[in-house]
Amino acid sequence: MAEVKVAEPKESIFTFGKAERKLVTDPLNDNNPITVQVLGICSALAVTTLLNKAIVMAIAVTFVTAFSNLFTSMLRTGIPKQVRMIVQLVIIATLVTIVELTLKAVNYPIYKELSVFIGLIITNCIVMGRLEAYAMANNPWKSFLDGIGNGLGYGIILIIVAAIRELFGKGSLLDFKIIGPTADYVLNTSEISWLGWYANNNLMVLFPSAMFVIGIVIWVHRAWNKKLVDIS
Amino acid sequence: MGDLINIFIKSAFIENLALSYFLGMCSYLAVSKSVKTAFGLGLAVIFVLGITMPMNWIINTYLLSEGGLFGMDLTFLRFILFIAVIASMVQLVEMVVEKFSPELYSALGIFLPLITVNCAILGGSLFMVSKEYNFSQSVAFGLGGGFGWFLAIVAIAAIREKMKYSAVPAPLRGLGMAFLLTGLMGMAFMGLMGIDPAAFN
């Protein structure tokens, strides 16, 4: 069997110039994974009921996208085209198992709340989509930065949506009561929190509200960034 | 038999994978621009779900559980093995579609390999494990779940085709409107939760 020759371009790869900065900042706005590329919607809908869940999920996804991009890009010249998906998925599944076990050890209550959706990072389209679209054709360092950028672009939308849903659905942010009557309001009516008349809107906790909130986020994003408007 | 029909109806309508659990949303939103491609993708999902569900059931029962072939609890390998089965099935479907329907193949584009990472497929297998179905129940659950997903994507594609003739604000056109429509459809499907599944027995 002939030896596989790895033909890496002889350039200094660990630079961080203008092109590399663009790789990280582009997914935050012009090429956002959720609002522009339509990738990774499922988990964005399910974990955004509470802000702390969304933050943990954003960190986990950024870790997985960055390192799966890095490893796939390192192996890209050796992977036969027909079995590429299985190879990619084994890399992703390994990284997700690492994240799952780490989270289980570090913060068990959050792990219990996220349980299924940590597993479903494997099927988060952002990870696979970036591997297919970017890491299979670019060098490891650039792919790593692309992974970080896309993870952050996903995280920022997740945090915005979670903040809106938690604030109006539960009247709190990070479990800290902000609007609506406090729990001891019934016992002590003289102590009224800010906007004490607000009654929690249960629709915001249900699934359809995530759709509405993301729809409105897309509306605002495209009204502000005109070049993203869908012409067709 | 009544039990199986019951599971089929429950997984297709009451616990619709797309509109009650919001699984498989990426391809659902991206491929629903025309009824024709939505129809093709929906059929592919029914096929893949209907095959992977029993295969994963066999793997879970005879290889991974404590009473299985190796005699030890290997459930931590569940993710990797399930996804390997799904990936190989999708690759098979990709080859078949490329051979027999090149137009559909080019219309589905990147979303055919992305069926692998359609959360509805892996999510369905994980639900099957947590609901402790037996073999024939897992077949019914797979076909029912796939059928529900198929219905959802064809319905939204039809609505989005009609939406072309409406005066939607420019920034909301396309994707934004699809999100709002899916939210409304999700609310409508919440009404089906009132169905008593025992009524079909």
Side-chain angles (χ1 to χ4, degrees):
Chain A
M1 208 175 115
E3 235 176 82
V4 180
K5 282 222 172 79
V6 182
E8 280 294 316
K10 294 274 181 237
E11 52 180 88
S12 63
I13 50 169
F14 292 107
T15 50
F16 194 79
K18 207 173 174 187
E20 280 78 14
R21 195 175 314 127
K22 197 165 154 40
L23 282 178
V24 178
T25 54
D26 216 31
L28 296 183
N29 180 11
D30 286 351
N31 206 11
N32 190 291
I34 293 184
T35 61
V36 182
Q37 299 178 58
V38 216
L39 297 174
I41 310 291
C42 330
S43 54
L45 295 161
V47 301
T48 50
T49 46
L50 290 174
L51 191 54
N52 55 4
K53 280 202 277 185
I55 291 172
V56 171
M57 190 71 182
I59 295 169
V61 170
T62 309
F63 173 82
V64 175
T65 45
F67 283 94
S68 63
N69 261 6
L70 177 69
F71 293 135
T72 312
S73 175
M74 282 173 170
L75 295 171
R76 71 184 188 281
T77 44
I79 304 176
K81 191 173 174 285
Q82 288 78 19
V83 295
R84 67 180 193 283
M85 286 195 289
I86 298 173
V87 175
Q88 290 165 357
L89 282 168
V90 169
I91 295 173
I92 300 170
T94 314
L95 287 166
V96 171
T97 312
I98 293 172
V99 168
E100 194 194 9
L101 295 178
T102 313
L103 189 60
K104 201 172 178 177
V106 174
N107 194 338
Y108 193 68
I110 291 268
Y111 168 80
K112 285 299 276 183
E113 280 187 46
L114 282 174
S115 59
V116 190
F117 289 94
I118 288 289
L120 285 178
I121 295 180
I122 300 174
T123 55
N124 192 320
C125 332
I126 292 180
V127 185
M128 188 82 172
R130 290 324 289 174
L131 291 185
E132 281 280 304
Y134 199 88
M136 289 302 280
N138 287 282
N139 72 37
W141 171 241
K142 277 187 178 172
S143 308
F144 183 68
L145 289 177
D146 182 75
I148 288 184
N150 277 287
L152 291 178
Y154 168 83
I156 204 165
I157 299 290
L158 221 61
I159 287 168
I160 291 172
V161 175
I164 296 173
R165 285 183 73 185
E166 191 180 345
L167 186 62
F168 293 109
K170 292 203 160 64
S172 58
L173 282 177
L174 290 172
D175 290 335
F176 182 75
K177 193 81 185 162
I178 293 192
I179 56 173
T182 51
D184 43 286
Y185 173 70
V186 189
L187 306 173
N188 182 7
T189 40
S190 65
E191 200 179 300
I192 299 172
S193 69
W194 188 55
L195 285 177
W197 48 267
Y198 181 79
N200 289 342
N201 185 348
N202 269 334
L203 177 67
M204 293 308 262
V205 186
L206 296 173
F207 275 131
S209 78
M211 279 289 174
F212 298 139
V213 175
I214 294 180
I216 290 165
V217 167
I218 290 174
W219 190 354
V220 172
H221 185 199
R222 290 189 179 184
W224 167 62
N225 193 342
K226 292 274 190 252
K227 63 175 175 267
L228 299 178
V229 171
D230 198 341
I231 303 148
S232 62
Chain B
M1 191 64 202
D3 176 40
L4 298 183
I5 294 171
N6 185 3
I7 287 177
F8 182 88
I9 289 179
K10 199 170 148 195
S11 56
F13 295 106
I14 306 170
E15 293 175 354
N16 190 300
L17 286 175
L19 294 172
S20 300
Y21 291 112
F22 289 103
L23 290 176
M25 274 295 131
C26 316
S27 31
Y28 172 87
L29 288 167
V31 185
S32 59
K33 277 178 193 141
S34 82
V35 175
K36 211 176 155 208
T37 48
F39 196 82
L41 186 73
L43 287 183
V45 166
I46 295 182
F47 182 73
V48 173
L49 258 179
I51 288 183
T52 55
M53 199 78 85
M55 282 180 82
N56 281 340
W57 184 87
I58 291 171
I59 284 178
N60 192 50
T61 316
Y62 292 115
L63 292 181
L64 297 182
S65 66
E66 212 156 333
L69 204 57
F70 299 109
M72 50 184 156
D73 187 21
L74 293 173
T75 42
F76 64 92
L77 287 176
R78 192 181 281 155
F79 287 156
I80 293 184
L81 275 180
F82 277 13
I83 207 74
V85 168
I86 292 169
S88 26
M89 282 322 298
V90 170
Q91 208 116 47
L92 192 72
V93 172
E94 190 181 356
M95 286 175 207
V96 170
V97 173
E98 190 178 9
K99 178 99 179 129
F100 291 106
S101 175
E103 326 72 276
L104 184 61
Y105 181 75
S106 56
L108 292 177
I110 191 175
F111 284 94
L112 197 54
L114 282 184
I115 294 185
T116 315
V117 288
N118 188 325
C119 346
I121 314 278
L122 183 65
S125 287
L126 294 177
F127 275 129
M128 171 203 69
V129 171
S130 68
K131 287 179 178 171
E132 296 173 347
Y133 284 146
N134 64 28
F135 184 74
S136 47
Q137 283 172 333
S138 73
V139 176
F141 182 66
L143 291 176
F147 181 67
W149 201 88
F150 167 84
L151 275 186
I153 194 172
V154 172
I156 189 125
I159 298 177
R160 283 182 76 176
E161 277 194 352
K162 295 284 177 230
M163 238 25 222
K164 277 181 203 151
Y165 307 108
S166 318
V168 179
L172 199 56
R173 231 170 260 161
L175 187 59
M177 206 60 214
F179 270 96
L180 298 186
L181 288 172
T182 312
L184 290 173
M185 282 171 72
M187 283 179 81
F189 261 72
M190 278 167 68
L192 294 177
M193 280 178 187
I195 296 177
D196 177 14
F200 301 105
N201 276 336

